[in-house]
Amino acid sequence: MQWQEVRQLYPDRFAKMHILKSHIKDQTLYVEEVAVLKAYDDDLTATRELVRTKDPELVYHTSKETIEIAIKPMFGFRRSYDFNLKDTVVKRILKKHPNNSKRVSAKSAETLTALSAVERTRTSTEY
């Protein structure tokens, strides 16, 4: 069912819906087709249902012209990150090979610096 049809059937109400068709553009989810599961007049009940919904479902008010949901990155949600990665890696290498400390430090300094930069970039863009 198209969003405009849902708006006509349930004017000025909250609707719990299952998303059938959507696309993402510029960090925004645009929902095109939905299947209405239930409609709510009370905003408190709708909020409770919104908290309980899982991924392909959502609760939205029919006063909105389109369903547009901003996608925000959740930093630190997947894993914690150690910004002293280079030091941590060097310590682990030296722990395994204590007799080769000079060789490990000199040989791996550039690689570890590059690895640290890549990890910081990758972690800051993950969500």
Side-chain angles (χ1 to χ4, degrees):
M1 179 180 293
Q2 296 292 324
W3 176 240
Q4 296 304 324
E5 295 172 37
V6 175
R7 291 183 70 215
Q8 290 174 356
L9 289 173
Y10 307 102
D12 294 320
R13 296 176 77 188
F14 288 95
K16 181 177 180 180
M17 301 165 285
H18 183 86
I19 300 172
L20 299 176
K21 186 176 177 185
S22 65
H23 68 277
I24 297 173
K25 183 179 178 185
D26 299 326
Q27 298 291 329
T28 304
L29 175 71
Y30 295 94
V31 178
E32 298 165 17
E33 289 185 27
V34 296
V36 178
L37 303 174
K38 198 167 186 181
Y40 303 99
D41 292 321
D42 181 26
D43 59 344
L44 182 62
T45 309
T47 303
R48 286 184 184 151
E49 277 302 311
L50 175 63
V51 172
R52 293 182 188 134
T53 58
K54 301 231 188 283
D55 193 16
E57 296 177 356
L58 74 121
V59 177
Y60 213 72
H61 199 271
T62 57
S63 65
K64 309 288 184 184
E65 292 287 326
T66 59
I67 301 177
E68 297 177 8
I69 302 167
I71 300 171
K72 297 183 180 179
M74 297 179 72
F75 296 108
F77 182 71
R78 286 192 177 177
R79 64 178 174 160
S80 61
Y81 181 74
D82 181 11
F83 280 100
N84 297 317
L85 178 67
K86 181 177 144 185
D87 297 333
T88 306
V89 172
V90 169
K91 286 176 187 174
R92 286 181 185 168
I93 292 171
L94 292 177
K95 199 174 201 180
K96 288 182 180 179
H97 309 285
N99 298 331
N100 298 329
S101 61
K102 288 183 182 177
R103 191 175 77 183
V104 167
S105 296
K107 213 173 191 186
S108 303
E110 289 180 30
T111 306
L112 294 173
T113 305
L115 175 65
S116 180
V118 167
E119 281 295 309
R120 284 187 184 139
T121 304
R122 185 172 53 143
T123 303
S124 67
T125 58
E126 268 185 11
Y127 52 88

